[in-house]
Amino acid sequence: MWKKTFLLFFSLCFFFAFSQLEKIPAFQDTAFLIESKILNQPRSIWVHLPEGYSSSQTYPVLYLLDGDAHFKYVSQMADYLSDYDRNRIPKIIVVAIVNVNRGKDLNIRHNAVNGKEDPSSISVTDGAGRFLKFLDQEVIPQINLRFKTQPYRILMGHSLAGEFALYAKNTLPDLFQSTILISPAIHDENILIMADFNRILQQKNLKGKMFVTIGDEDLQKVNLITEQLKQFSSTTFDWDFKYYKEENHFSVTYKSIFDGLKFIYKNWFFDNYSTVLMTPKEIQLRFDALSKEFGYTIPPTEDFVNNRAYKQLRAGNINIAIDLFQQNVKNHPDSWNAYDSLGEAYLKKGDKKSAIKNYKKSLQLNPDNADGKIILEKLLSEK
């Protein structure tokens, strides 16, 4: 009997010693308050930073209207699509503008003429006009001040917010470089914005992207948008439309944002598990093409270069691999992994002095780099 008791006790000790509860990963979410002079009230802004957010890098920004409704799932979706395994989009910052009075913010208001609203004259001091000014002059400058942003902004609007997003494109066409319009509710009294959209589309060399979607509902107003896009959009303005017959007005948002982000970044994807070897020049040409597409300099990402470098290393092209790892160290000087990888390449080449130098730097940045610590101790003991 005592043997069974001892075995049970030993088994329980073993279980508790080697079992632990894995913690749910923390999200990099934060919030701040803008004391808006334009809206004459404080407004909450929610921000999600991508995994591995670094002050030495910059990120495009996705702005969510009706932010409190979409913030959680869009933030997780953005992380999912930008993860190493998927690599469908770059790492992005997600910004949610939280509602206080949705109708007051997003509805288009008209100027009064002889005591009556004039549908041909949109107010810039009330409703959507004032709220757009709030985004342009208060929200975006604060985001740029507080976080490391790239000059590429995406605006997402659903339903009434979709009408607002179209109005924003008409009024300040360069404020957001891409727009995701989801089941936009274009009210009859605001049909003027369709004529304005027509004029914007016919601007010479209009740049940008627009993704338009709708669920299983009345297609009349969305058809007006897509017909104008077909007739008048230039080759420099990229767009697409999707009809989700299996979704309704309220469930259509998830698929729309998922597909919309993939559309905007359709040329971003490169399979990180591909066996294709790429030289430093080929990598630079790829990112030069992305820079030209999005209108600002996009340097090769750390993960991408690291991946290509290890493929060269495994193929026996050590000097090419070292060139790529050195590029990562130069572009990401606060990355312990970049130095660790460069140290590994030098070690494979037989250059122990350079390997030691880079492993030391890696451990300075990340003392918890256990594998690097073991390798460095072994190298130092051999000196």
Side-chain angles (χ1 to χ4, degrees):
M1 182 67 183
W2 69 269
K3 291 182 179 180
K4 291 183 179 180
T5 303
F6 175 78
L7 287 173
L8 177 61
F9 175 77
F10 178 80
S11 297
L12 288 172
C13 289
F14 182 86
F15 175 80
F16 286 117
F18 293 96
S19 299
Q20 62 180 12
L21 177 65
E22 296 296 335
K23 294 181 180 180
I24 298 174
F27 291 101
Q28 294 196 75
D29 296 340
T30 187
F32 64 92
L33 205 63
I34 292 179
E35 295 289 345
S36 174
K37 295 180 180 178
I38 293 170
L39 300 180
N40 196 31
Q41 64 180 179
R43 298 301 295 265
S44 295
I45 306 297
W46 296 349
V47 179
H48 173 76
L49 300 177
E51 185 178 354
Y53 175 85
S54 168
S55 60
S56 67
Q57 299 179 51
T58 52
Y59 305 84
V61 185
L62 170 61
Y63 287 85
L64 305 176
L65 301 172
D66 295 324
D68 35 337
H70 305 294
F71 180 71
K72 185 176 181 179
Y73 75 87
V74 174
S75 296
Q76 294 180 0
M77 184 189 299
D79 286 347
Y80 178 83
L81 287 172
S82 64
D83 182 76
Y84 181 86
D85 291 341
R86 264 72 60 182
N87 191 37
R88 295 288 174 171
I89 67 172
K91 293 182 181 296
I92 63 175
I93 297 171
V94 178
V95 174
I97 296 96
V98 180
N99 286 327
V100 172
N101 186 328
R102 183 172 185 263
K104 185 177 181 181
D105 285 342
L106 301 177
N107 269 313
I108 291 175
R109 303 296 182 188
H110 303 98
N111 291 315
V113 177
N114 297 325
K116 294 183 179 180
E117 283 197 21
D118 178 8
S120 67
S121 177
I122 295 175
S123 172
V124 296
T125 59
D126 195 13
R130 184 172 63 170
F131 192 69
L132 180 58
K133 188 178 179 182
F134 165 64
L135 293 183
D136 178 34
Q137 298 182 18
E138 294 184 324
V139 177
I140 291 173
Q142 276 293 312
I143 294 298
N144 291 341
L145 180 66
R146 292 168 180 261
F147 306 100
K148 303 294 287 186
T149 62
Q150 290 173 340
Y152 197 87
R153 295 180 288 271
I154 304 166
L155 180 64
M156 169 266 173
H158 168 241
S159 192
L160 178 60
E163 180 184 71
F164 173 89
L166 188 61
Y167 163 74
K169 188 64 184 177
N170 294 343
T171 308
L172 297 174
D174 298 324
L175 186 60
F176 297 96
Q177 288 66 47
S178 286
T179 306
I180 301 175
L181 290 180
I182 305 173
S183 289
I186 310 298
H187 294 97
D188 290 337
E189 65 271 20
N190 297 326
I191 204 66
L192 170 67
I193 67 172
M194 297 310 303
D196 292 339
F197 187 49
N198 183 306
R199 287 192 291 272
I200 289 296
L201 287 176
Q202 294 185 62
Q203 283 186 358
K204 188 177 181 180
N205 297 325
L206 176 69
K207 296 180 180 180
K209 300 187 181 188
M210 181 172 286
F211 189 70
V212 186
T213 73
I214 195 167
D216 187 20
E217 48 193 309
D218 188 352
L219 295 169
Q220 182 182 7
K221 298 297 172 54
V222 163
N223 285 343
L224 291 176
I225 296 173
T226 56
E227 284 303 315
Q228 291 203 23
L229 285 165
K230 288 176 185 177
Q231 291 184 50
F232 303 112
S233 63
S234 66
T235 56
T236 57
F237 191 79
D238 196 11
W239 69 277
D240 197 8
F241 166 70
K242 281 203 173 184
Y243 172 39
Y244 299 97
K245 186 174 176 58
E246 70 280 13
E247 307 298 338
N248 65 19
H249 183 73
F250 300 99
S251 65
V252 72
T253 57
Y254 194 98
K255 289 182 179 178
S256 297
I257 299 173
F258 184 89
D259 289 341
L261 289 173
K262 286 174 62 181
F263 162 74
I264 292 167
Y265 290 102
K266 60 187 175 184
N267 295 321
W268 183 269
F269 175 70
F270 195 99
D271 186 358
N272 281 323
Y273 297 97
S274 167
T275 58
V276 174
L277 296 178
M278 295 181 73
T279 65
K281 183 177 180 180
E282 289 171 329
I283 292 173
Q284 191 59 55
L285 287 173
R286 167 176 164 73
F287 281 86
D288 284 348
L290 289 171
S291 298
K292 183 177 179 181
E293 177 182 356
F294 289 96
Y296 62 95
T297 301
I298 301 177
T301 63
E302 180 182 354
D303 283 348
F304 188 91
V305 174
N306 200 61
N307 175 285
R308 300 296 112 188
Y310 270 113
K311 283 179 169 54
Q312 294 285 4
L313 193 63
R314 287 192 287 270
N317 304 320
I318 298 177
N319 288 332
I320 295 177
I322 288 175
D323 284 347
L324 290 171
F325 286 131
Q326 285 176 335
Q327 179 180 322
N328 255 355
V329 165
K330 180 180 178 181
N331 292 339
H332 308 281
D334 62 347
S335 170
W336 67 269
N337 188 59
Y339 288 98
D340 183 277
S341 298
L342 181 55
E344 183 179 345
Y346 276 125
L347 184 59
K348 192 163 186 178
K349 187 177 181 179
D351 185 348
K352 291 185 179 181
K353 182 178 179 181
S354 296
I356 289 171
K357 177 182 175 182
N358 283 281
Y359 276 117
K360 282 183 175 180
K361 182 63 177 179
S362 175
L363 285 163
Q364 286 176 9
L365 293 168
N366 178 19
D368 295 327
N369 178 10
D371 290 339
K373 187 175 183 180
I374 292 171
I375 294 171
L376 180 61
E377 288 175 350
K378 186 173 183 297
L379 286 170
L380 292 174
S381 69
E382 294 172 352
K383 291 182 67 175

